Amino acid sequence: MADYREAPLATRPKTLDPNEYFNLSPDYRRAEAERAALRAGLKRQYQLQLNNPHRKELIEDPALNRWVYARANPYNHFKATKKTSLLGALFGVAPLFILYYVFKTDRVRSFNWMCAGLWVC
Amino acid sequence: MLKILIPTLFLLPTTWLTSSKWLWPTALTQSMLIALGSITWLNNTTDTGWTALNSYIGTDPLSTPLLVLSCWLLPLMLLASQNHLSSEPMNRQRMYITLLATLQLFLILAFGATEMIMFYVMFEATLIPTLLVITRWGNQTERLNAGTYFLFYTLAGSLPLLVALLMLQNSTGTLSLLIIPYAKPLLLMPFGSKIWWAACMIAFLVKMPLYGMHLWLPKAHVEAPVAGSMVLAAVLLKLGGYGMMRLMIVLDPLSKEMVYPFIVLALWGVIMTGSICLRQTDLKSLIAYSSVSHMGLVAGGILIQTPWGFTGALILMIAHGLASSALFCLANTNYERTHSRTMLLARGLQIALPLMTTWWFIASLANLALPPLPNLMGELMILTSLFNWSAWTLILTGIGTLITAAYSLYMFLMSQRGPLPQHMLALPPSYTREHLLMALHLIPLLLIILKPALLWGWFAC
């Protein structure tokens, strides 16, 4: 297997547990062991940074950076599909016309009432 | 007026000639003295309302609160910037203070201008120091993009304004704000006068910003350093509102028909940008969108041209200026500790920095317009005058108020409550400078509760 040796008390992932082995192919087991080794390497990196007494800044999480970038830059990856066009029309275009119509009719009506002397304050 | 202008002008030699040990204390003291001197402008005793009047500059109850706000903000900007600039070379520090002082100068001249072309020139001139501050001292690579958006949105909006003002000058013979209310209206062909109306207003609507043309604001606010964000949120947006209030007088009979699309955009923008705030991951971006939301209300209040609308708009502008600037300073205290604007990374700060939580709390309450703060007074007046204009606006403004409360609460809970990130280091405790900065923002806001009549503009009766 890969030359990862986990800590003595750590649990093995389910697919490397000898009790679950029997219906798994050796290729699959090898792949799982490599992935476990990668994960352990990342955890080791994190622990090294976490316990480094000379560290002055936050530990950088690349996944968080990617997520923040994605949330902050939606327009670069915008595609005009049926759903996005519908949403845009429903929330961005239609309300403007609807509100214009509502305000205009309301004001025109109250203006006419005021001219006719029907406006009761 | 000169007793404020000359010291502001001489802040420039001060920054270049003082020794590096005394640079910041001297700049702070001088700007604080200017700020305290500017408060004397609030004393409007003349019958006509125009004080400190000469051929070019004057103050009246509309411009005075904004002038005092811009003068008050300079020492606060310097206080806020002191930390992140301390590691830079001396010349860059001096340049930064010079840019802020020039911006202050242009702002005073803009708000004090009695002639519209002078106002226009100063309006444009304020763009340059701000652009330099954003693009040269911003922290991320997106600052160039932000500077471009900021400059070109505002410029594109204001070039038609120049043409419109020149047309007005041609027909009326003067552009002095004292004479314009009594001049005869500009008579053009029907379509031409609509274009002229739009040309006058678009510049200020982009600056405010109005919902459809607000894209520059989150970029500029987020990428600017703290002093840039403060001055953008607190004063530069209000230049748009002030310009609108001044120009509405000459646009009168047209406005009845032309305002509808813009009021619709403004009110719908209150709800939309408020909803966007609830989905933000970036703290400064949240505060920037909340600025758009509040300014949408202000735009609505100004466009309906009623006394209460104007009063509410003016009070909300001042109160929002102080509250928003306070929130940007708080966001900066987070940024200086974690070097990240992501809200998730700076949670649970109540455990780590409890005194700062007090300021976060008060600033969030100010943002959501808690009574008896002047934010509520402004919002209520605008709400009421909009309701009088058309009863259906109440739905929009009511939902808008609800969403404002929601995202202010979200911001507070996200930053203060919750678990502290496990890899958080020993954060430096809150400096006295930061407490002073927050106090200087929020104590004037609390004091305004006692006498809001100072800020009511022309209708303080």
Side-chain angles (χ1 to χ4, degrees):
Chain A
M1 287 236 229
D3 59 324
Y4 148 73
R5 209 165 272 294
E6 81 267 0
L9 294 175
T11 50
R12 285 190 161 231
K14 206 167 184 168
T15 45
L16 292 179
D17 186 355
N19 296 333
E20 306 266 332
Y21 265 8
F22 300 110
N23 51 349
L24 295 172
S25 66
D27 282 331
Y28 184 76
R29 275 188 265 161
R30 207 173 306 124
E32 275 299 316
E34 277 167 16
R35 283 195 281 260
L38 281 171
R39 280 201 301 271
L42 284 172
K43 285 179 197 169
R44 181 171 183 274
Q45 216 182 14
Y46 178 75
Q47 287 293 328
L48 278 175
Q49 280 180 293
L50 186 65
N51 297 313
N52 178 10
H54 299 294
R55 175 174 66 99
K56 285 211 276 283
E57 63 285 321
L58 287 181
I59 300 177
E60 190 200 339
D61 181 0
L64 185 66
N65 292 348
R66 283 195 297 267
W67 177 73
V68 168
Y69 179 84
R71 284 294 283 269
N73 296 302
Y75 301 119
N76 300 344
H77 307 285
F78 177 74
K79 197 166 107 155
T81 62
K82 269 196 269 210
K83 178 177 164 190
T84 58
S85 310
L86 184 66
L87 280 175
L90 196 61
F91 282 98
V93 178
L96 304 179
F97 290 98
I98 297 173
L99 287 170
Y100 180 92
Y101 171 74
V102 164
F103 291 154
K104 198 88 167 79
T105 29
D106 179 54
R107 295 228 346 132
V108 163
R109 199 177 39 181
S110 35
F111 183 72
N112 291 336
W113 279 353
M114 272 193 264
C115 287
L118 295 171
W119 184 250
V120 179
C121 278
Chain B
M1 176 63 75
L2 274 182
K3 69 176 177 287
I4 303 294
L5 273 177
I6 303 276
T8 314
L9 184 61
F10 275 81
L11 200 49
L12 303 173
T14 306
T15 55
W16 287 98
L17 295 176
T18 44
S19 65
S20 43
K21 191 169 95 153
W22 287 103
L23 171 63
W24 288 96
T26 321
L28 254 175
T29 318
Q30 188 167 353
S31 46
M32 197 63 176
L33 287 172
I34 296 174
L36 290 173
S38 73
I39 298 182
T40 58
W41 275 328
L42 285 169
N43 187 24
N44 286 93
T45 49
T46 57
D47 278 337
T48 58
W50 288 92
T51 20
L53 195 59
N54 62 29
S55 326
Y56 307 104
I57 325 182
T59 67
D60 74 328
L62 179 57
S63 57
T64 311
L66 293 163
L67 277 165
V68 176
L69 181 65
S70 16
C71 291
W72 184 250
L73 221 68
L74 184 58
L76 269 50
M77 287 195 273
L78 293 175
L79 262 180
S81 320
Q82 213 168 335
N83 192 13
H84 75 86
L85 284 181
S86 55
S87 55
E88 296 206 12
M90 274 322 288
N91 276 344
R92 269 181 66 96
Q93 294 187 25
R94 291 179 204 269
M95 197 61 216
Y96 194 80
I97 304 181
T98 309
L99 283 170
L100 294 182
T102 9
L103 182 59
Q104 169 86 325
L105 192 67
F106 291 146
L107 280 170
I108 297 178
L109 287 173
F111 283 123
T114 48
E115 227 249 306
M116 288 304 296
I117 293 282
M118 180 168 171
F119 173 71
Y120 175 78
V121 171
M122 292 303 144
F123 179 79
E124 299 296 309
T126 56
L127 290 180
I128 299 187
T130 321
L131 180 73
L132 289 173
V133 165
I134 295 178
T135 48
R136 296 275 161 229
W137 276 272
N139 284 314
Q140 273 76 29
T141 52
E142 288 86 11
R143 65 185 192 262
L144 298 174
N145 195 11
T148 313
Y149 263 71
F150 169 64
L151 188 70
F152 285 106
Y153 262 69
T154 325
L155 272 182
S158 56
L159 280 179
L161 175 64
L162 181 63
V163 174
L165 283 179
L166 291 174
M167 280 173 65
L168 191 58
Q169 162 86 14
N170 250 351
S171 99
T172 326
T174 175
L175 281 178
S176 169
L177 285 170
L178 295 103
I179 307 184
I180 284 266
Y182 309 107
K184 38 184 221 301
L186 189 67
L187 294 167
L188 300 171
M189 297 280 119
F191 189 62
S193 56
K194 286 195 173 56
I195 301 274
W196 178 71
W197 190 99
C200 283
M201 286 281 113
I202 291 281
F204 303 119
L205 288 169
V206 169
K207 191 86 177 174
M208 281 216 71
L210 191 66
Y211 175 55
M213 296 161 270
H214 68 287
L215 277 181
W216 63 271
L217 188 137
K219 289 190 201 285
H221 275 75
V222 163
E223 302 303 329
V226 63
S229 291
M230 284 165 73
V231 78
L232 264 172
V235 188
L236 289 178
L237 301 187
K238 285 53 178 180
L239 263 181
Y242 174 75
M244 269 168 70
M245 284 168 139
R246 289 294 192 199
L247 264 189
M248 284 297 232
I249 308 171
V250 300
L251 298 172
D252 212 350
L254 290 165
S255 298
K256 288 199 187 52
E257 292 304 315
M258 289 290 295
V259 290
Y260 283 87
F262 299 106
I263 296 187
V264 165
L265 269 173
L267 291 179
W268 187 241
V270 170
I271 298 184
M272 290 303 284
T273 48
S275 315
I276 294 178
C277 278
L278 285 169
R279 292 281 295 165
Q280 285 297 320
T281 57
D282 180 338
L283 185 57
K284 277 179 93 163
S285 193
L286 196 153
I287 306 172
Y289 275 109
S290 92
S291 282
V292 181
S293 177
H294 287 285
M295 285 297 116
L297 261 184
V298 171
I302 297 178
L303 285 168
I304 56 178
Q305 293 180 288
T306 56
W308 270 32
F310 268 41
T311 312
L314 187 55
I315 294 201
L316 189 54
M317 285 204 278
I318 306 296
H320 170 262
L322 286 170
S324 199
S325 182
L327 282 170
F328 274 115
C329 290
L330 285 168
N332 185 53
T333 62
N334 268 3
Y335 184 78
E336 283 179 358
R337 285 167 176 74
T338 58
H339 287 292
S340 156
R341 294 193 305 260
T342 316
M343 280 199 283
L344 273 180
L345 283 178
R347 282 188 296 175
L349 291 178
Q350 190 167 10
I351 301 289
L353 304 169
L355 288 179
M356 204 44 99
T357 304
T358 323
W359 300 122
W360 271 104
F361 189 53
I362 301 180
S364 300
L365 290 178
N367 203 18
L368 61 86
L370 185 80
L373 289 166
N375 307 64
L376 177 78
M377 181 175 192
E379 280 196 17
L380 270 185
M381 287 181 122
I382 298 181
L383 239 73
T384 332
S385 46
L386 274 172
F387 181 68
N388 181 39
W389 185 79
S390 166
W392 295 93
T393 56
L394 193 66
I395 304 174
L396 292 171
T397 46
I399 298 180
T401 317
L402 189 67
I403 299 183
T404 308
Y407 69 67
S408 297
L409 190 65
Y410 170 66
M411 179 175 60
F412 177 69
L413 292 179
M414 198 61 165
S415 59
Q416 304 305 119
R417 302 284 160 82
L420 203 52
Q422 287 172 342
H423 55 86
M424 189 61 76
L425 307 153
L427 299 164
S430 312
Y431 299 105
T432 314
R433 179 185 54 86
E434 291 168 352
H435 285 301
L436 177 65
L437 183 61
M438 297 312 304
L440 284 178
H441 271 110
L442 296 173
I443 289 183
L445 198 58
L446 296 172
L447 285 175
I448 294 176
I449 301 175
L450 300 173
K451 195 173 167 83
L454 291 171
L455 311 175
W456 276 346
W458 286 97
F459 309 105
C461 49

